[in-house]
Amino acid sequence: MPIKYRKNKIVLNFLEDKPEVYKIQQINYGTIGLDKLVAEIAHAEGVNETQTLSVITALVNRVAHYVELGYGVRVGDLGSFKLQMNSKCTTKIEKADASTIRRFRVNFRPGKKLQDVAKTVTVSDYQSLDVD
């Protein structure tokens, strides 16, 4: 099924002549929640939903545990998770310490199967904008 998009008009008010430009925007159909995924996986694999949810919960907990310890974690074709640190630069090596850390975030890198989805996706116009 193709990804749908619509055309939007944008006025660039920050420019003196305030030109109008047009840009396409992906239509979002919502989010698939854990309950639906658990039910579909359980049905497809012939196990009950409680067992499926238990395994997914354990997987999330183990990924979080190892990422917190500083390991990168690869989850098959789903992808890899690792902790990423952002810190300030200093002019002296003595000042380069933990106090310069701005933030940590978990970086997700999709696996080949998910990357391939982005390479093969098709698109189609959802609605046309009436231009006067």
Side-chain angles (χ1 to χ4, degrees), residues 1-131:
M1 184 170 130
I3 300 296
K4 303 277 188 199
Y5 68 87
R6 67 173 165 251
K7 299 172 186 178
N8 289 334
K9 177 171 66 172
I10 301 169
V11 179
L12 302 179
N13 289 320
F14 58 90
L15 295 176
E16 191 175 317
D17 59 346
K18 298 183 185 202
E20 293 179 352
V21 295
Y22 300 89
K23 184 175 184 177
I24 63 171
Q25 177 183 14
Q26 179 180 333
I27 301 296
N28 184 350
Y29 295 111
T31 302
I32 302 299
L34 182 60
D35 291 344
K36 182 168 178 61
L37 288 173
V38 166
E40 289 181 4
I41 292 168
H43 177 74
E45 299 303 318
V47 295
N48 70 45
E49 290 183 25
T50 303
Q51 291 170 323
T52 303
L53 180 59
S54 177
V55 169
I56 291 172
T57 302
L59 175 66
V60 170
N61 290 339
R62 291 293 83 200
V63 168
H65 172 74
Y66 285 112
V67 166
E68 184 178 31
L69 292 176
Y71 290 94
V73 180
R74 180 173 291 126
V75 185
D77 285 340
L78 180 63
S80 300
F81 299 85
K82 73 175 189 173
L83 203 57
Q84 184 177 23
M85 181 175 65
N86 185 314
S87 62
K88 301 175 196 171
C89 293
T90 64
T91 56
K92 298 185 179 179
I93 194 166
E94 301 83 29
K95 292 186 178 185
D97 59 18
S99 69
T100 63
I101 297 171
R102 289 185 178 150
R103 68 182 173 132
F104 287 97
R105 55 181 264 202
V106 176
N107 185 1
F108 172 70
R109 210 170 176 151
K112 180 165 176 24
K113 192 168 191 170
L114 285 179
Q115 288 178 8
D116 288 347
V117 168
K119 293 176 185 173
T120 60
V121 71
T122 59
V123 295
S124 69
D125 191 358
Y126 178 72
Q127 71 184 47
S128 293
L129 181 68
D130 292 332
V131 180

